[in-house]
Amino acid sequence: MPPSVATPLPGVKAVAHPDLDHRTHVYRDDMADARLRDQVIAERYVTGEPHRITHSQAPLYQQAGTEGRWGSELVYGEPVLVFEHDQANGTAWCQHETDGYVGHIPLEALSPRQAGAAPTHRVWAIQAPLFPEADLKTPVIGWRSVGSLVSLTGAEKNRFLETTEGGWLYQRHVRPLDAQDPDYISNAKRFMEQPYIWGGRSGRGLDCSALIQFALMLAGVHNCPRDTDQQRAGLGQALPPDTHRQAGD
């Protein structure tokens, strides 16, 4: 089902409040998020449709199409709102519901969210192999990055847990959604050997601000902004210049 669209206003281009950051607000010359009616004058307003990521990892491109620069990356099971399906470019204009980041996701990596299919666990391992059976010797059929959201059936066998989509994950690789490790410094150190990837935000590679996001996410902080300047403005409090620095400052 395409996103619902309000009655258009012919010839009107988007005029937004100057403080609205394009990275976290859905608007452009010809349309805007319906939630921004009081902040944006637009030709038409669109209500985002709930989808989720169905690939192990999916790049969030800054522009429509699949050949440009990454703005971020999403992992399996994460929720997004889709505002436009761009069949010509093979992407959808989306907003990541966790950190609010806006960009373009490959259409093939998206699926509408179904009622009753809410995730039950989060992948805790940097990269968790997915097996077709509860048997370590069977061939790996996929991967689930750290931060991935999965739904489990409750079946357990040979220290494996069954997912609702048929695969099996090793039980030590996942934890319930409310699990947390408050030591965000130790959480960050888990990624020390991972490669730096601009816009990366998964177990196969990440950038500096994604490192902060993951370290805090595993500590139970799920509202961490995506980019460094946003984190500087929105996290914690500034220390006086003469403060003796400690680990974690």
Side-chain angles (χ1 to χ4, degrees), residues 31-209:
M31 73 159 67
D33 183 347
R35 295 171 297 179
L36 299 179
R37 284 181 180 273
D38 295 335
Q39 298 169 278
V40 176
I41 299 174
E43 180 179 335
R44 57 196 173 108
Y45 297 94
V46 177
T47 299
E49 294 290 340
H51 284 62
R52 69 185 183 98
I53 303 299
T54 54
H55 283 194
S56 296
Q57 292 100 6
L60 186 71
Y61 294 99
Q62 292 181 340
Q63 303 295 331
T66 57
E67 297 181 354
R69 175 183 285 187
W70 291 11
S72 187
E73 185 179 25
L74 277 61
V75 296
Y76 182 88
E78 287 197 296
V80 299
L81 291 176
V82 172
F83 291 87
E84 181 181 60
H85 298 271
D86 187 346
Q87 300 291 342
N89 285 300
T91 53
W93 194 30
C94 301
Q95 183 174 40
H96 183 198
E97 288 196 79
T98 301
D99 61 23
Y101 218 72
V102 176
H104 303 263
I105 290 283
L107 288 170
E108 63 182 9
L110 292 168
S111 178
R113 291 209 302 271
Q114 303 296 328
T120 60
H121 289 68
R122 178 176 284 105
V123 172
W124 213 261
I126 299 298
Q127 284 276 57
L130 184 70
F131 295 89
E133 303 174 28
D135 184 348
L136 192 64
K137 297 181 180 180
T138 55
V140 173
I141 58 174
W143 296 87
R144 296 291 179 259
S145 165
V146 61
S148 296
L149 301 175
V150 296
S151 180
L152 303 181
T153 66
E156 181 177 348
K157 182 179 180 181
N158 299 332
R159 293 183 292 182
F160 282 85
L161 303 175
E162 185 183 32
T163 73
T164 56
E165 296 186 331
W168 294 76
L169 293 165
Y170 191 48
Q171 64 180 13
R172 290 181 60 186
H173 290 169
V174 298
R175 294 188 186 180
L177 291 181
D178 60 356
Q180 57 183 263
D181 181 348
D183 188 349
Y184 55 85
I185 299 175
S186 294
N187 294 340
K189 287 181 177 180
R190 294 179 57 200
F191 296 88
M192 286 182 66
E193 298 301 321
Q194 298 304 111
Y196 180 95
I197 296 178
W198 180 272
R201 186 183 158 276
S202 73
R204 65 182 179 183
L206 67 173
D207 59 23
C208 55
S209 53

